[in-house]
Amino acid sequence: MTPGEANSESQNLMSATLQTAASAAETMSGAEIVLRALKEQGVEVIFGYPGGAVLPLYDALFNQNAIRHILVRHEQAAVHAAEGYARSTGKVGCVLVTSGPGATNAVTGLLDALMDSVPLVCLTGQVPTHLIGNDAFQEADTTGITRPVTKHNYLVKDIKKLAGVVHEAFYVARSGRPGPVVIDLPKDILIGQGPYSEAPTAPHRSYRPQREPNAELVAQAVKLLKGAKRPIVYAGGGVVNAGPEASRLLTEFVRLTGFPCTNTLMGLGTYPSTDRQFVGMLGMHGTYEANLAMHGCDVMLNVGARFDDRVTGRLNAFAPTAKKIHVDIDQSSINKNVPVDIALVGDAGLTLKALLEAWKASEQPQHTGALAEWWTQIEEWRGKDCLRYRQEGSIIKPQHAIRRLYEITREGGRDTFITTEVGQHQMWAAQYFGFEKPNRWMTSGGLGTMGYGLPAAMGVQIANPDALVIDIAGEASILMNIQEMATLAQYRLPVKVFILNNEYMGMVRQWQELLHGGRYSESYSAALPDFVKLADSFHARGLRVTRPEDLDAGIREMLAHPGPVIMDCAVAKDENCFPMIPSGAAHNEMILGPDQEGGVKGVTDEGKVLV
Amino acid sequence: MPAVPTMPDINETKLRNATIAVLVDNEPGILARVVGLFSGRGYNIESLTVAPVDEDRAISRITIVTSGTEMVIEQIKAQLDRLVPVRKVCDLSIEGPHLARELMLIKVVCTGEQRMEALRLADAFRARVVDATAASFVFEMTGNGDKLDAFTALMRPLGLAEVVRTGVIGIARGTYSLKA
């Protein structure tokens, strides 16, 4: 140390002793800074799992009551739980995991949140800064690993920047197209002392997504929509993310215009499913009428959907005669898969408001005659009743199980939230369970993560303690995060797990039947647990139903039980999910179920390489 | 009212080169973010250069030369623009006339008549001699890629030993300037 340094240090020491008590209180430990920033950002619940690198944060959590910590049984489940919390409330979900394996276990959940645009902030522990790069115990290059699975990530190496980083992370997670943000926190930063700063009020230096659509383009869009003869509104998850008001505006717009409306998997609930103008979900397992209306429309208004491959089918045959208007808050979604004619970059809610105003202000008449003809055509397609199934004999049809679950929960009138795992049961839930409001349907759409539903349901139940929360599951998916039954027990979360048990990874089996000559390679769920005993061992109620005549009573018993329930519902093993647009096929080349006629076209060789 | 954004020509299937200038926060990991975006989404990088450009070294300027159809290049710009530390993205190739330059150091090992020929060509190409020994030259040369390629091709039969190039940097002509 040079004499100069010693001098300045003793001066610092002296000035520190002269400081008033108030300004001295401005310094606190990194862990305290993090918690204070979380509180300022409105965090009430954090889903996490402790470990060596995050012990200082857990110590700080121990000393406060503002933020409730929910202890999960696996870090992936912490992220899905935060997703369920975020999707059902519109708030930013929050996750806390340790370094190394804690962070790598969270990766699947983070990518799931990225693909489905769910706002999350995930705090990961890290080895102290001086050990980074040394292959220290439980070290992982967390920012490197999570860079492609997050919207943004940070490694905090300077405690003076810590508070600012946490505030910025929340801003980034919820602004524009929402997504997960990781903050990697070395242990010495959590222990060290530093200053706190409040969330900045000034606009962010570089990230300022456009929210208001361009007025000139809105006018052009309305002109196109008014001139439409065969219009359709195609609404997706962006409407959910824009808040409940956006769904209300969507409903108002659709009713005002008299247009048919379809929803993507992520958009279910943004338009009431019981309304006549709703033509059902579109896409690979969408309804006949929705897909044919998409194929035959002349003007398409896409609000907050991203022309995903599950929706479009073969791109060169997608809505070939349509002029397309695309509303999206993410400029990079425009023209990514499908070239569009008018791009309205902006928030779905604000854009719908602008469209409504412009529609009302415009004196251009609508093609009411043509629209009536279009509806006649759509009703004809609807008459095909593509979701019809026959419940007969002694085996429960999975479609029937979902339909009865829907009807019985509706009778009860409770606010109901549905999560799902991934596979056939997910598609049946989307087809046979109706949603009237947004934020009631939580499913892994983009990534297709088996094991999503149970932890997501946990997060939903934490956020909505009085609501009915049901995880519609398959017997294979549920085993991927079954350990979370313990979390349900610990926090007395009355989540209902409704398993459609067909003893197969059903969607894999279906594709093997349709594409691989019925060679059911490794898709049989052998050695399944006894779900009733399994529920019992996790302090939950277990039920098993195998006969159609017992189905209703089983569902009612499940709903009546005040605690968590696993209902194991044995369903037909060979049932396929129809309608189906095979990969590589167009919307008008759907495979219908055995109860409908026509439309069958096999899978092409080009289609086989697609997933 | 702000100008109405124009749409790219979606029917254009021809590949074109684009020189994209990106102003970013000079922070750790930003280059990995940009490069990861290109590799993760399968975009080409023909060349990439980066250095801090402002007084307090807070802003770096990246010049990326890439190629793709009109729609792909639109995607590249939109994907870059939504990265949080990215301040500005500018496609120099279509925003107006621009200058693109590259720096090359090229070592030629030769003697006798070939030495004279190398020097004569260097003179014609305005390459500077920055190192010379009895048996070698190092030339320094700036220009666009074609010019550097042409010079390199001429040096090949004369004893070309080593080439190092910076990749392209670009700037718009005239008064327009890219600011963070």
Side-chain angles (χ1 to χ4, degrees):
Chain A
M1 191 187 284
T2 65
E5 275 174 324
N7 197 13
S8 76
E9 207 151 271
S10 62
Q11 269 175 5
N12 281 345
L13 231 137
M14 207 151 42
S15 65
T17 46
L18 290 175
Q19 270 175 348
T20 61
S23 62
E26 291 302 300
T27 347
M28 58 185 89
S29 77
E32 285 163 344
I33 292 173
V34 171
L35 287 188
R36 183 154 161 196
L38 294 186
K39 211 176 129 193
E40 191 184 330
Q41 291 294 334
V43 174
E44 290 166 357
V45 181
I46 187 163
F47 299 90
Y49 202 102
V54 284
L55 281 176
L57 260 173
Y58 275 86
D59 204 29
L61 274 170
F62 191 75
N63 289 323
Q64 56 87 49
N65 287 318
I67 296 170
R68 183 178 179 208
H69 180 273
I70 303 295
L71 175 67
V72 296
R73 272 32 177 197
H74 188 289
E75 288 88 350
Q76 183 195 351
V79 186
H80 293 324
E83 285 187 89
Y85 182 91
R87 282 194 71 80
S88 65
T89 60
K91 295 188 210 162
V92 179
C94 200
V95 179
L96 169 57
V97 297
T98 193
S99 63
T104 56
N105 276 346
V107 165
T108 302
L110 293 169
L111 183 54
D112 192 273
L114 183 72
M115 299 275 277
D116 285 346
S117 308
V118 184
L120 295 186
V121 170
C122 175
L123 310 170
T124 57
Q126 182 56 278
V127 300
T129 40
H130 69 273
L131 285 180
I132 290 178
N134 278 25
D135 299 329
F137 177 64
Q138 292 198 329
E139 179 183 357
D141 174 8
T142 301
T143 45
I145 290 169
T146 61
R147 200 171 289 125
V149 301
T150 53
K151 184 173 172 186
H152 194 50
N153 62 16
Y154 303 87
L155 168 61
V156 182
K157 285 179 137 176
D158 177 0
I159 195 165
K160 289 198 285 296
K161 293 183 178 159
L162 178 56
V165 163
V166 178
H167 293 311
E168 185 177 299
F170 276 84
Y171 167 78
V172 169
R174 67 170 174 259
S175 306
R177 179 174 175 181
V181 177
V182 160
I183 311 176
D184 202 21
L185 298 164
K187 196 170 183 183
D188 54 330
I189 296 289
L190 291 175
I191 289 174
Q193 294 284 315
Y196 183 75
S197 59
E198 284 175 6
T201 48
H204 191 269
R205 64 189 180 283
S206 56
Y207 187 69
R208 295 185 294 268
Q210 181 181 345
R211 284 172 54 77
E212 286 284 352
N214 180 294
E216 172 60 27
L217 290 175
V218 168
Q220 284 181 25
V222 165
K223 194 165 168 230
L224 200 55
L225 289 163
K226 283 234 167 165
K229 293 177 173 157
R230 300 184 311 280
I232 190 155
V233 177
Y234 145 47
V239 182
V240 180
N241 278 335
E245 175 65 6
S247 295
R248 198 194 62 71
L249 290 164
L250 173 73
T251 309
E252 188 185 336
F253 182 82
V254 171
R255 292 206 174 128
L256 177 70
T257 55
F259 291 175
C261 179
T262 178
N263 274 157
T264 65
L265 180 71
M266 300 310 292
L268 292 176
T270 58
Y271 191 84
S273 68
T274 47
D275 192 279
R276 281 302 290 172
Q277 280 171 257
F278 186 62
V279 293
M281 181 175 78
L282 82 166
M284 186 172 268
H285 294 289
T287 66
Y288 188 69
E289 54 270 32
N291 284 333
L292 286 191
M294 284 292 279
H295 190 78
C297 69
D298 70 340
V299 177
M300 174 192 299
L301 174 63
N302 168 350
V303 190
R306 59 184 176 94
F307 294 110
D308 176 76
D309 57 74
R310 298 290 100 162
V311 157
T312 60
R314 193 168 79 239
L315 276 172
N316 61 8
F318 173 72
T321 56
K323 289 273 184 196
K324 301 175 190 85
I325 303 164
H326 188 183
V327 179
D328 206 300
I329 198 155
D330 179 6
Q331 171 82 49
S332 76
S333 284
I334 310 282
N335 291 329
K336 184 173 69 180
N337 303 327
V338 172
V340 296
D341 300 277
I342 298 178
L344 299 174
V345 176
D347 173 81
L350 295 175
T351 307
L352 281 163
K353 190 157 168 265
L355 284 169
L356 268 166
E357 282 164 9
W359 178 281
K360 287 174 188 163
S362 156
E363 282 165 14
Q364 188 186 341
Q366 247 187 297
H367 278 289
T368 41
L371 186 59
E373 269 177 52
W374 178 230
W375 269 112
T376 310
Q377 172 66 72
I378 290 171
E379 289 302 337
E380 190 186 308
W381 289 328
R382 181 141 48 190
K384 196 117 187 165
D385 196 7
C386 67
L387 296 178
R388 190 175 64 229
Y389 59 86
R390 255 178 287 184
Q391 174 59 51
E392 51 193 14
S394 59
I395 297 168
I396 302 171
K397 287 264 188 183
Q399 300 94 325
H400 184 62
I402 303 278
R403 176 49 60 85
R404 286 308 295 152
L405 179 68
Y406 171 51
E407 287 166 352
I408 294 170
T409 53
R410 269 190 84 188
E411 283 167 25
R414 288 179 66 189
D415 198 6
T416 304
F417 293 74
I418 301 293
T419 70
T420 74
E421 311 289 333
V422 169
Q424 284 184 323
H425 68 273
Q426 175 190 29
M427 291 299 113
W428 282 318
Q431 291 172 332
Y432 295 93
F433 207 103
F435 297 91
E436 306 303 301
K437 288 185 201 164
N439 305 98
R440 300 301 189 279
W441 164 248
M442 270 60 54
T443 194
S444 172
L447 193 61
T449 311
M450 291 170 73
Y452 168 88
L454 178 54
M458 233 156 68
V460 174
Q461 190 81 74
I462 292 278
N464 306 273
D466 300 324
L468 172 61
V469 183
I470 306 172
D471 170 27
I472 296 177
E475 85 290 336
S477 280
I478 193 66
L479 290 177
M480 284 212 183
N481 267 320
I482 194 70
Q483 76 288 343
E484 296 308 317
M485 289 303 296
T487 312
L488 294 187
Q490 178 175 348
Y491 297 97
R492 301 177 191 280
L493 302 173
V495 168
K496 318 298 180 206
V497 180
F498 188 74
I499 301 176
L500 295 182
N501 187 343
N502 59 4
E503 296 178 24
Y504 275 99
M505 294 158 212
M507 197 57 94
V508 173
R509 195 206 57 76
Q510 175 168 344
W511 281 52
Q512 287 172 334
E513 178 186 328
L514 297 176
L515 281 93
H516 297 278
R519 292 178 294 280
Y520 300 123
S521 179
E522 303 293 330
S523 55
Y524 181 69
S525 295
L528 280 171
D530 178 333
F531 284 106
V532 175
K533 285 186 188 155
L534 186 141
D536 193 41
S537 73
F538 278 113
H539 321 288
R541 170 74 65 87
L543 301 169
R544 181 165 167 82
V545 171
T546 56
R547 298 185 308 172
E549 56 269 33
D550 299 334
L551 179 65
D552 284 14
I555 291 172
R556 287 182 208 283
E557 190 181 346
M558 170 179 86
L559 298 182
H561 184 68
V565 180
I566 294 180
M567 173 161 167
D568 181 19
C569 183
V571 297
K573 295 191 200 341
D574 54 355
E575 196 65 22
N576 285 332
C577 190
F578 290 122
M580 178 178 181
I581 301 174
S583 355
H587 277 173
N588 59 346
E589 299 168 344
M590 301 183 79
I591 304 178
L592 294 173
D595 290 343
Q596 285 90 22
E597 45 197 71
V600 180
K601 189 180 175 207
V603 179
T604 58
D605 283 348
E606 299 88 74
K608 261 192 181 176
V609 302
L610 303 171
V611 285
Chain B
M1 197 193 300
V4 178
T6 51
M7 296 289 265
D9 185 357
I10 51 186
N11 299 314
E12 182 59 73
T13 52
K14 270 208 315 268
L15 297 186
R16 77 163 169 96
N17 275 317
T19 304
I20 300 174
V22 192
L23 289 176
V24 299
D25 289 335
N26 181 20
E27 62 178 36
I30 176 62
L31 199 56
R33 240 175 255 290
V34 170
V35 173
L37 168 66
F38 274 73
S39 66
R41 293 189 182 265
Y43 306 141
N44 289 324
I45 300 182
E46 312 267 336
S47 83
L48 185 149
T49 67
V50 58
V53 287
D54 67 330
E55 237 170 281
D56 45 4
R57 301 178 68 84
I59 304 284
S60 287
R61 180 159 169 153
I62 302 175
T63 309
I64 304 168
V65 180
T66 181
S67 63
T69 61
E70 206 52 57
M71 272 183 78
V72 167
I73 288 168
E74 278 308 301
Q75 264 295 300
I76 291 174
K77 286 190 280 182
Q79 294 288 354
L80 282 169
D81 199 44
R82 71 181 189 144
L83 295 178
V84 173
V86 167
R87 302 277 186 113
K88 265 277 169 29
V89 178
C90 175
D91 186 350
L92 294 170
S93 332
I94 57 163
E95 292 289 323
H98 74 285
L99 297 164
R101 289 291 180 272
E102 195 174 349
L103 172 68
M104 171 169 76
L105 296 174
I106 177 167
K107 183 177 287 182
V108 185
V109 177
C110 53
T111 50
E113 184 50 37
Q114 291 188 322
R115 242 173 112 71
M116 298 310 295
E117 179 63 8
L119 267 184
R120 267 197 297 276
L121 286 166
D123 194 41
F125 274 76
R126 298 209 176 89
R128 291 202 302 137
V129 177
V130 288
D131 177 67
T133 66
S136 70
F137 287 119
V138 175
F139 297 114
E140 173 196 305
M141 187 170 173
T142 58
N144 63 31
D146 291 349
K147 181 180 160 191
L148 304 191
D149 289 345
F151 186 69
T152 310
L154 287 171
M155 288 301 113
R156 194 156 286 126
L158 300 177
L160 175 71
E162 202 176 335
V163 178
V164 55
R165 293 167 65 154
T166 57
V168 174
I169 54 168
I171 198 165
R173 285 181 185 272
T175 54
Y176 174 78
S177 38
L178 192 60
K179 292 208 180 78

Short mmCIF file of all heavy atoms in Angstrom, two decimals, chain A residues 393-424:
data_model
loop_
_atom_site.label_atom_id
_atom_site.label_comp_id
_atom_site.label_asym_id
_atom_site.label_seq_id
_atom_site.Cartn_x
_atom_site.Cartn_y
_atom_site.Cartn_z
N GLY A 393 -70.15 -48.11 -24.33
CA GLY A 393 -69.41 -49.24 -23.80
C GLY A 393 -68.90 -48.95 -22.40
O GLY A 393 -69.31 -48.00 -21.73
N SER A 394 -67.94 -49.76 -21.98
CA SER A 394 -67.54 -49.74 -20.58
C SER A 394 -66.23 -48.97 -20.35
O SER A 394 -65.67 -49.00 -19.27
CB SER A 394 -67.37 -51.18 -20.09
OG SER A 394 -66.39 -51.81 -20.90
N ILE A 395 -65.74 -48.33 -21.42
CA ILE A 395 -64.47 -47.62 -21.28
C ILE A 395 -64.70 -46.11 -21.40
O ILE A 395 -65.46 -45.67 -22.26
CB ILE A 395 -63.47 -48.09 -22.36
CG1 ILE A 395 -63.18 -49.58 -22.15
CG2 ILE A 395 -62.17 -47.30 -22.29
CD1 ILE A 395 -62.45 -50.22 -23.29
N ILE A 396 -64.05 -45.35 -20.55
CA ILE A 396 -64.21 -43.89 -20.58
C ILE A 396 -63.42 -43.31 -21.75
O ILE A 396 -62.23 -43.60 -21.91
CB ILE A 396 -63.73 -43.24 -19.26
CG1 ILE A 396 -64.50 -43.82 -18.07
CG2 ILE A 396 -63.87 -41.73 -19.32
CD1 ILE A 396 -63.95 -43.41 -16.72
N LYS A 397 -64.10 -42.51 -22.57
CA LYS A 397 -63.38 -41.78 -23.62
C LYS A 397 -62.72 -40.56 -22.97
O LYS A 397 -63.37 -39.86 -22.19
CB LYS A 397 -64.37 -41.29 -24.68
CG LYS A 397 -64.91 -42.39 -25.56
CD LYS A 397 -64.10 -42.46 -26.82
CE LYS A 397 -64.79 -43.43 -27.78
NZ LYS A 397 -64.01 -43.60 -29.00
N PRO A 398 -61.46 -40.30 -23.31
CA PRO A 398 -60.79 -39.14 -22.68
C PRO A 398 -61.52 -37.82 -22.97
O PRO A 398 -61.58 -36.95 -22.09
CB PRO A 398 -59.40 -39.16 -23.31
CG PRO A 398 -59.49 -40.05 -24.50
CD PRO A 398 -60.58 -41.02 -24.23
N GLN A 399 -62.06 -37.69 -24.18
CA GLN A 399 -62.79 -36.46 -24.51
C GLN A 399 -63.97 -36.28 -23.56
O GLN A 399 -64.26 -35.17 -23.11
CB GLN A 399 -63.32 -36.52 -25.95
CG GLN A 399 -62.26 -36.67 -27.02
CD GLN A 399 -62.03 -38.12 -27.40
OE1 GLN A 399 -62.11 -39.02 -26.56
NE2 GLN A 399 -61.73 -38.37 -28.67
N HIS A 400 -64.63 -37.39 -23.27
CA HIS A 400 -65.80 -37.35 -22.40
C HIS A 400 -65.39 -36.95 -20.98
O HIS A 400 -66.10 -36.19 -20.31
CB HIS A 400 -66.49 -38.73 -22.39
CG HIS A 400 -67.75 -38.77 -21.60
ND1 HIS A 400 -68.85 -38.00 -21.93
CD2 HIS A 400 -68.09 -39.46 -20.48
CE1 HIS A 400 -69.81 -38.22 -21.05
NE2 HIS A 400 -69.39 -39.10 -20.16
N ALA A 401 -64.25 -37.46 -20.55
CA ALA A 401 -63.78 -37.13 -19.20
C ALA A 401 -63.56 -35.62 -19.07
O ALA A 401 -63.96 -35.00 -18.07
CB ALA A 401 -62.49 -37.88 -18.90
N ILE A 402 -62.94 -35.02 -20.09
CA ILE A 402 -62.69 -33.57 -20.04
C ILE A 402 -64.02 -32.82 -20.12
O ILE A 402 -64.25 -31.86 -19.38
CB ILE A 402 -61.79 -33.12 -21.20
CG1 ILE A 402 -60.47 -33.89 -21.19
CG2 ILE A 402 -61.56 -31.61 -21.15
CD1 ILE A 402 -59.43 -33.39 -20.27
N ARG A 403 -64.89 -33.26 -21.04
CA ARG A 403 -66.16 -32.57 -21.21
C ARG A 403 -66.96 -32.58 -19.90
O ARG A 403 -67.49 -31.56 -19.48
CB ARG A 403 -66.95 -33.26 -22.34
CG ARG A 403 -68.35 -32.74 -22.61
CD ARG A 403 -68.45 -31.23 -22.75
NE ARG A 403 -67.67 -30.65 -23.81
CZ ARG A 403 -68.06 -30.52 -25.08
NH1 ARG A 403 -69.23 -30.96 -25.44
NH2 ARG A 403 -67.29 -29.93 -25.96
N ARG A 404 -66.98 -33.73 -19.22
CA ARG A 404 -67.71 -33.79 -17.96
C ARG A 404 -67.03 -32.95 -16.88
O ARG A 404 -67.69 -32.28 -16.09
CB ARG A 404 -67.84 -35.25 -17.48
CG ARG A 404 -68.82 -36.09 -18.25
CD ARG A 404 -70.20 -35.45 -18.37
NE ARG A 404 -70.90 -35.32 -17.09
CZ ARG A 404 -71.80 -34.38 -16.81
NH1 ARG A 404 -72.10 -33.47 -17.71
NH2 ARG A 404 -72.38 -34.32 -15.63
N LEU A 405 -65.70 -32.95 -16.88
CA LEU A 405 -64.98 -32.12 -15.91
C LEU A 405 -65.37 -30.65 -16.11
O LEU A 405 -65.63 -29.91 -15.16
CB LEU A 405 -63.46 -32.30 -16.10
CG LEU A 405 -62.57 -31.46 -15.17
CD1 LEU A 405 -62.69 -31.95 -13.73
CD2 LEU A 405 -61.11 -31.53 -15.61
N TYR A 406 -65.44 -30.24 -17.38
CA TYR A 406 -65.81 -28.86 -17.72
C TYR A 406 -67.23 -28.57 -17.25
O TYR A 406 -67.49 -27.57 -16.58
CB TYR A 406 -65.67 -28.68 -19.23
CG TYR A 406 -66.21 -27.37 -19.77
CD1 TYR A 406 -65.84 -26.15 -19.21
CD2 TYR A 406 -67.09 -27.35 -20.86
CE1 TYR A 406 -66.33 -24.95 -19.71
CE2 TYR A 406 -67.58 -26.16 -21.37
CZ TYR A 406 -67.20 -24.97 -20.79
OH TYR A 406 -67.68 -23.79 -21.28
N GLU A 407 -68.14 -29.46 -17.59
CA GLU A 407 -69.55 -29.20 -17.28
C GLU A 407 -69.80 -29.18 -15.77
O GLU A 407 -70.53 -28.32 -15.26
CB GLU A 407 -70.44 -30.25 -17.97
CG GLU A 407 -70.50 -30.01 -19.48
CD GLU A 407 -71.07 -31.20 -20.26
OE1 GLU A 407 -71.28 -32.28 -19.67
OE2 GLU A 407 -71.29 -31.04 -21.47
N ILE A 408 -69.15 -30.09 -15.07
CA ILE A 408 -69.39 -30.16 -13.63
C ILE A 408 -68.76 -28.95 -12.92
O ILE A 408 -69.35 -28.38 -12.00
CB ILE A 408 -68.89 -31.50 -13.06
CG1 ILE A 408 -69.76 -32.63 -13.63
CG2 ILE A 408 -68.94 -31.51 -11.53
CD1 ILE A 408 -69.26 -34.03 -13.35
N THR A 409 -67.57 -28.52 -13.37
CA THR A 409 -66.98 -27.34 -12.74
C THR A 409 -67.81 -26.10 -13.05
O THR A 409 -67.93 -25.20 -12.22
CB THR A 409 -65.52 -27.08 -13.19
OG1 THR A 409 -65.48 -27.06 -14.60
CG2 THR A 409 -64.59 -28.14 -12.67
N ARG A 410 -68.41 -26.05 -14.24
CA ARG A 410 -69.26 -24.89 -14.58
C ARG A 410 -70.49 -24.83 -13.70
O ARG A 410 -70.88 -23.76 -13.24
CB ARG A 410 -69.70 -24.97 -16.04
CG ARG A 410 -68.75 -24.26 -16.96
CD ARG A 410 -69.33 -24.13 -18.34
NE ARG A 410 -70.20 -22.97 -18.44
CZ ARG A 410 -70.96 -22.73 -19.50
NH1 ARG A 410 -70.97 -23.55 -20.51
NH2 ARG A 410 -71.70 -21.66 -19.54
N GLU A 411 -71.07 -26.01 -13.44
CA GLU A 411 -72.22 -26.05 -12.54
C GLU A 411 -71.86 -25.44 -11.19
O GLU A 411 -72.65 -24.73 -10.60
CB GLU A 411 -72.66 -27.50 -12.28
CG GLU A 411 -73.44 -28.15 -13.40
CD GLU A 411 -73.53 -29.66 -13.16
OE1 GLU A 411 -73.44 -30.11 -12.00
OE2 GLU A 411 -73.69 -30.39 -14.15
N GLY A 412 -70.66 -25.78 -10.73
CA GLY A 412 -70.22 -25.30 -9.42
C GLY A 412 -70.05 -23.79 -9.37
O GLY A 412 -70.15 -23.19 -8.31
N GLY A 413 -69.73 -23.20 -10.52
CA GLY A 413 -69.64 -21.75 -10.60
C GLY A 413 -68.41 -21.14 -9.96
O GLY A 413 -68.31 -19.92 -9.85
N ARG A 414 -67.46 -21.97 -9.52
CA ARG A 414 -66.26 -21.38 -8.91
C ARG A 414 -65.32 -20.87 -10.00
O ARG A 414 -65.30 -21.38 -11.11
CB ARG A 414 -65.51 -22.44 -8.09
CG ARG A 414 -66.23 -22.82 -6.81
CD ARG A 414 -65.43 -23.88 -6.07
NE ARG A 414 -64.14 -23.37 -5.60
CZ ARG A 414 -63.19 -24.15 -5.09
NH1 ARG A 414 -63.38 -25.45 -4.99
NH2 ARG A 414 -62.05 -23.62 -4.68
N ASP A 415 -64.53 -19.83 -9.65
CA ASP A 415 -63.52 -19.34 -10.58
C ASP A 415 -62.51 -20.48 -10.78
O ASP A 415 -61.90 -20.95 -9.81
CB ASP A 415 -62.83 -18.11 -9.98
CG ASP A 415 -62.10 -17.31 -11.03
OD1 ASP A 415 -62.23 -17.65 -12.23
OD2 ASP A 415 -61.42 -16.33 -10.67
N THR A 416 -62.37 -20.94 -12.02
CA THR A 416 -61.60 -22.15 -12.27
C THR A 416 -60.38 -21.86 -13.14
O THR A 416 -60.48 -21.17 -14.15
CB THR A 416 -62.48 -23.21 -12.95
OG1 THR A 416 -63.63 -23.43 -12.14
CG2 THR A 416 -61.73 -24.51 -13.16
N PHE A 417 -59.24 -22.38 -12.72
CA PHE A 417 -57.99 -22.24 -13.46
C PHE A 417 -57.52 -23.63 -13.87
O PHE A 417 -57.50 -24.54 -13.05
CB PHE A 417 -56.92 -21.59 -12.57
CG PHE A 417 -57.20 -20.16 -12.21
CD1 PHE A 417 -58.18 -19.86 -11.26
CD2 PHE A 417 -56.50 -19.12 -12.79
CE1 PHE A 417 -58.46 -18.55 -10.91
CE2 PHE A 417 -56.77 -17.80 -12.45
CZ PHE A 417 -57.75 -17.51 -11.52
N ILE A 418 -57.16 -23.76 -15.13
CA ILE A 418 -56.71 -25.06 -15.64
C ILE A 418 -55.25 -24.96 -16.06
O ILE A 418 -54.86 -24.04 -16.80
CB ILE A 418 -57.56 -25.49 -16.86
CG1 ILE A 418 -59.04 -25.59 -16.50
CG2 ILE A 418 -57.04 -26.81 -17.44
CD1 ILE A 418 -59.41 -26.69 -15.53
N THR A 419 -54.45 -25.91 -15.59
CA THR A 419 -53.10 -26.06 -16.15
C THR A 419 -53.07 -27.43 -16.80
O THR A 419 -53.93 -28.27 -16.55
CB THR A 419 -52.00 -25.98 -15.08
OG1 THR A 419 -52.06 -27.15 -14.27
CG2 THR A 419 -52.16 -24.76 -14.20
N THR A 420 -52.08 -27.65 -17.66
CA THR A 420 -51.96 -28.97 -18.26
C THR A 420 -50.50 -29.37 -18.32
O THR A 420 -49.59 -28.55 -18.19
CB THR A 420 -52.48 -29.02 -19.71
OG1 THR A 420 -51.53 -28.37 -20.56
CG2 THR A 420 -53.83 -28.37 -19.86
N GLU A 421 -50.30 -30.64 -18.54
CA GLU A 421 -48.98 -31.15 -18.92
C GLU A 421 -48.94 -31.07 -20.44
O GLU A 421 -49.63 -30.25 -21.03
CB GLU A 421 -48.82 -32.58 -18.39
CG GLU A 421 -49.20 -32.75 -16.92
CD GLU A 421 -48.22 -32.12 -15.95
OE1 GLU A 421 -47.03 -32.00 -16.29
OE2 GLU A 421 -48.62 -31.76 -14.83
N VAL A 422 -48.19 -31.95 -21.09
CA VAL A 422 -48.07 -31.86 -22.55
C VAL A 422 -48.38 -33.19 -23.20
O VAL A 422 -47.87 -34.23 -22.78
CB VAL A 422 -46.67 -31.37 -22.95
CG1 VAL A 422 -46.44 -31.53 -24.45
CG2 VAL A 422 -46.50 -29.91 -22.57
N GLY A 423 -49.22 -33.16 -24.21
CA GLY A 423 -49.54 -34.37 -24.96
C GLY A 423 -51.01 -34.36 -25.35
O GLY A 423 -51.64 -33.32 -25.45
N GLN A 424 -51.55 -35.57 -25.56
CA GLN A 424 -52.95 -35.68 -25.98
C GLN A 424 -53.90 -35.00 -25.00
O GLN A 424 -54.81 -34.28 -25.40
CB GLN A 424 -53.33 -37.16 -26.10
CG GLN A 424 -52.80 -37.85 -27.34
CD GLN A 424 -53.32 -39.27 -27.42
OE1 GLN A 424 -53.45 -39.96 -26.40
NE2 GLN A 424 -53.60 -39.73 -28.62
#
